[in-house]
Amino acid sequence: WARRCVKETASKLLVGGTLEARGLLRAGAFAVGGLARVEKLVANEVEVHRMRASVGVQAGTLRLARRGRLEGLVVAREVLARDDAYLDEVYARYFECGDRCRVRSLNAYRAVAGRGCSIGRAAYVEELKLGEGSEVGSAERVAELKPPEGFEL
């Protein structure tokens, strides 16, 4: 079990169990094998199994494990989610998820979803590819994406 305080910075933060971080956490590489609870995380590489972000995650590349769960906002150049993952709200230049993933809100320049995925709402700039049996509640092609204030693509 690890705790980090406000405005901590690490080049690599690797935790096998649970991590709880208050305030802004910056890391070059961030990986947590158990549950990560953060307010705001800014990192080049993020690899998690389960994460709750009360403010959000800003990443170069975010990888979500098989059957992973990410609650909160994610803004990244690249988001890669394995089979059976769940993501809450995503803004990405490139998004790809495996089979049977669920995404509440997807905003991407390019997005690829595997078979049997469920996406509540999708806004995309260039393309949205869906695997067999995947469904989208509403899909809209947009001219540009604007992530929430304090985050950038």
Side-chain angles (χ1 to χ4, degrees), residues 97-102 112-119 128-137:
C97 67
D99 297 339
R100 299 170 305 281
C101 289
R102 293 174 295 133
V112 179
R115 294 174 298 165
C117 293
S118 175
I119 300 170
L128 174 62
K129 290 185 179 179
L130 300 174
E132 182 181 331
S134 290
E135 57 186 40
V136 178

Side-chain angles (χ1 to χ4, degrees), residues 36-56:
R37 288 187 204 107
V38 300
E39 282 183 38
K40 184 172 183 180
L41 169 66
V42 177
N44 292 330
E45 299 279 333
V46 175
E47 191 165 332
V48 292
H49 186 264
R50 290 180 299 143
M51 177 180 271
R52 289 187 192 127
S54 58
V55 175

